[in-house]
């Protein structure tokens, strides 16, 4: 695309670069060293979640520089900017986790505002940690300018006394330490070797789950989301993404051409097939919301129900993201799902080709056992299951990958915060066979819908992961394993049944039938609801308070604005 201004006739950047009245605007661009030709070219936002908070994000700045070279080579003008991230591994287990889900929407909002304010014509977005991936994709779909997503890549595994470990092992080691199974010195040794490089948590936790989604939904180039962060070959994907986004600008292929109902179903299918994080059931509805597509928890759960679980990935399986990449990558997983009718092959992708066309040259690798053929699954039902019943009329979600027993019944032991439950677990103030209930941790009640990895990992470390169940209106980390049910709705803060429970109430969970019930009559629930009063949080101002005022239920993705169905104009068409 040449630098003539008439080529900008329908691009947003014409509002800041074309015509005599925009001379002051152009003067700022000249001040940053741009030439007249560069100002006349399409302006491409290169949005990065780089920071020094965690290894997930530390490699993104370098990768962004390679993206910019690709954009420039294809005669575009890259404009780099950063947004925030909150890294779950460091926010986990304390009040900082309340900022995690909030950050997803702040990321989407801040990318939108930067793009709108400077009238950029396209976006290449780089993200590394859990909420930054859906946040970046939400911004792309909301803006609807030509977009390509880049994952920063996963971390390499650590080695502890001859075996590979991940950060999951560190969290579980805390539980082992609490019961005296390992010493202070052993815990220190584990923490020092678990995370040896840049990159996001290495197993099929939330970051790698949403990276898998990015390829399956069509917003990322094939293979680009599988290569670990330290691999220099990531530069090829970054450069190619910079070049490719200019092709999308020329053809005006936009995210909403790509993110369709069928594409969302494809994304849900790869989550189920890979035993991915339950958080996907929160993020896929939120991405759909940006496109104006109704796709809630139950829609996601229906895809989960009929998709086989075929990738033997941690936390429920044996392998990590690096292993799947070296076995054939995300396309290997998608190829067998497509061949056996679990994916829609006619969906457009950022390559400019359909998913089926992208898969034409992918060959099955029978020398690996990370991914099984879709007709020879680990289990016939996906690794994540939706639940519904008297305890969760608006649904709940459970990861069953790696669970031997998918039914559980027992008396409730109720806690009104994660800290209270974690203290009880560490001090062993619970009994085998109980259902631990953590409530007032939902989107509004938390506020912020915290993850409960510290508690679930401690249970597993104590050897109790399959001897108790845990339910919450909050979330679980992608690293969580055991009988753990999250996203219970309605949440306690709005008077949902989970807020009416008392110690000893018998709860029955059946992941095979997809049900979660409490043995209380409707009359008894109604009596308790009349006596129930809302619980005040200690967040009366600031970003977390603001989030609580606007956030909707987990069933619809915990979104904070009306979405594309209420749009009166789309940014891409200003």
């Amino acid at each position: 695309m040449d630098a003539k201004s008439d080529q900008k006739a329908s691009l947003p950047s014409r509002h800041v670069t074309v015509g005599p009245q925009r001379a002051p605007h152009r003067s700022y661009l000249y001040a940053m060293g741009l030439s007249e030709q560069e100002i006349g070219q399409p302006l491409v936002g290169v949005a990065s979640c780089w920071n020094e908070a965690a290894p997930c994000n530390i490699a993104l700045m370098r990768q962004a520089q390679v993206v910019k070279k690709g954009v420039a080579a294809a005669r575009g003008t890259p404009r780099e900017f950063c947004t925030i991230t909150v890294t779950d591994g460091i926010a986990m287990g304390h009040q900082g986790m309340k900022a995690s889900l909030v950050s997803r929407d702040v990321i989407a909002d801040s990318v939108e505002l930067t793009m709108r304010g400077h009238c950029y014509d396209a976006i290449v977005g780089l993200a590394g940690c859990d909420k930054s991936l859906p946040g970046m994709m939400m911004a792309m779909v909301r803006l609807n300018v030509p977009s390509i997503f880049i994952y920063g890549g996963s971390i390499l595994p650590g080695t502890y006394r001859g075996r590979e470990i991940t950060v999951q092992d560190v969290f579980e080691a805390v539980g082992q330490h609490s019961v005296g199974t390992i010493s202070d010195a052993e815990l220190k040794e584990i923490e020092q070797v678990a995370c040896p490089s840049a990159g996001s948590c290495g197993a099929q936790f939330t970051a790698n789950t949403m990276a898998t989604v990015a390829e399956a939904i069509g917003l990322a180039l094939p293979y680009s989301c599988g290569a670990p962060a330290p691999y220099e070959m990531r530069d090829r994907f970054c450069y190619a993404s910079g070049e490719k986004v200019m092709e999308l600008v020329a053809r005006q292929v936009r995210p909403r051409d790509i993110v369709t109902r069928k594409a969302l179903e494809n994304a849900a299918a790869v989550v189920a097939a890979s035993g991915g994080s339950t958080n996907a059931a929160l993020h896929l509805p939120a991405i759909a919301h940006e496109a104006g597509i109704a796709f809630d928890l139950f829609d996601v759960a229906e895809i989960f129900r009929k998709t086989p679980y075929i990738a033997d990935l941690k936390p429920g399986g044996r392998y990590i993201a690096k292993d799947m990449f070296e076995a054939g990558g995300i396309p290997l997983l998608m190829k067998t799902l497509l061949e056996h009718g679990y994916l829609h092959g006619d969906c457009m992708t950022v390559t400019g080709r359909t998913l089926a066309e992208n898969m034409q040259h992918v060959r099955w690798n029978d020398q690996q056992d990370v991914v099984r053929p879709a007709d020879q699954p680990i289990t016939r039902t996906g690794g994540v299951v939706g639940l519904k019943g008297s305890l969760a009329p608006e649904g709940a979600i459970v990861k069953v990958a790696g669970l031997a027993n998918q039914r559980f019944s027992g008396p409730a032991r109720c806690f009104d915060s994660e800290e209270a439950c974690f203290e009880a677990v560490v001090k062993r103030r619970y009994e085998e066979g109980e259902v631990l209930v953590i409530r007032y941790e939902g989107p509004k009640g938390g506020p912020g819908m915290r993850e409960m990895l510290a508690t679930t990992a401690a249970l597993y470390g104590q050897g109790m992961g399959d001897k108790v169940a845990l339910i919450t209106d909050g979330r679980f980390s992608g690293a969580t394993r055991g009988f753990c049910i999250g996203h219970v709705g309605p949440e306690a803060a709005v008077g949902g049944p989970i807020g009416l429970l008392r110690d000893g109430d018998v709860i029955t969970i059946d992941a095979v039938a997809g049900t979660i019930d409490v043995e209380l009559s409707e009359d008894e629930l109604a009596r308790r609801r009349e006596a129930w009063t809302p619980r005040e949080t200690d967040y009366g101002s600031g970003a977390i308070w603001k989030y609580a005022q606007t956030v909707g239920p987990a069933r619809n993705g915990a979104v904070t604005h009306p979405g594309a169905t209420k749009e009166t104009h789309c940014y891409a068409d200003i």
Side-chain angles (χ1 to χ4, degrees), residues 245-258:
V245 80
M246 292 304 299
E247 181 182 315
L248 299 181
V249 171
R251 297 176 55 190
Q252 277 302 291
V253 176
R254 299 178 177 184
R256 294 185 198 174
D257 301 322
I258 293 168

Side-chain angles (χ1 to χ4, degrees), residues 254-266:
R254 299 178 177 184
R256 294 185 198 174
D257 301 322
I258 293 168
V259 179
T260 62
R261 171 78 187 211
K262 285 184 176 180
L264 289 159
E265 291 178 354
N266 286 347

Side-chain angles (χ1 to χ4, degrees), residues 374-397:
D375 61 345
Q376 301 171 37
I378 299 168
T379 61
R380 287 283 171 191
T381 301
V384 183
V385 171
L387 306 173
K388 188 177 184 180
S390 62
L391 187 51
E394 289 185 358
I397 199 86

Side-chain angles (χ1 to χ4, degrees), residues 107 166 209 239 473:
I107 290 164
T166 70
T209 296
Y239 192 92
D473 52 7

Side-chain angles (χ1 to χ4, degrees), residues 168 274-275 309 311-320 378 401-402 481:
Q168 173 190 347
S274 64
Y309 167 43
D312 194 5
L313 298 171
K314 291 185 177 183
R318 296 176 293 165
Y319 295 107
I320 60 172
I378 299 168
R481 54 179 176 159

